[in-house]
Amino acid sequence: MAAVYSPAQERGGDFYVIAPRKTGDTLVVIGDVCGRGATAAAFAEKVGPYVRVVAQTALTPNEFLSMANAVVARNLPEDLFVTAVCAILDARRGRAVITNAGHVP
């Protein structure tokens, strides 16, 4: 799997994480920290390491987003909010399970 990130400006709040899981499937999170430029971008940079750790414990995309929301809500500045879509891709079974948390298609 490969991806390219090219922000419209110098820095952006968009993020993606592709995290292989011990179960053999892959967790993919695509999101956006919505708010003011540098602050949103800085918060987005903190998301990746968190996602990789939680990816190993969350069983479903819904559980992952619930766990992430509990942490993000405590640490997110008041003028920002986050949207995300989370998918677990299981290539062996040809299956994808997807949950959307306010992220536009």
Side-chain angles (χ1 to χ4, degrees), residues 36-86:
R36 307 214 189 272
T39 305
F43 196 84
E45 289 175 9
K46 296 177 184 178
V47 171
Y50 172 75
V51 169
R52 285 181 180 76
V53 170
V54 176
Q56 299 306 324
T57 60
L59 300 175
T60 67
N62 188 46
E63 290 168 337
F64 170 82
L65 289 175
S66 292
M67 291 171 70
N69 184 60
V71 172
V72 169
R74 289 192 305 261
N75 297 298
L76 193 66
E78 287 185 23
D79 60 339
L80 301 179
F81 68 94
V82 179
T83 65
V85 62
C86 177

Side-chain angles (χ1 to χ4, degrees), residues 17-19 21 25-30 60-62 64-65 84-90 95-100:
V17 176
I18 301 168
R21 298 179 352 139
D25 50 18
T26 303
L27 181 106
V28 177
V29 179
I30 300 169
T60 67
N62 188 46
F64 170 82
L65 289 175
V85 62
C86 177
I88 294 180
L89 308 178
D90 187 342
R95 185 176 150 182
V97 179
I98 303 168
T99 299
N100 188 328

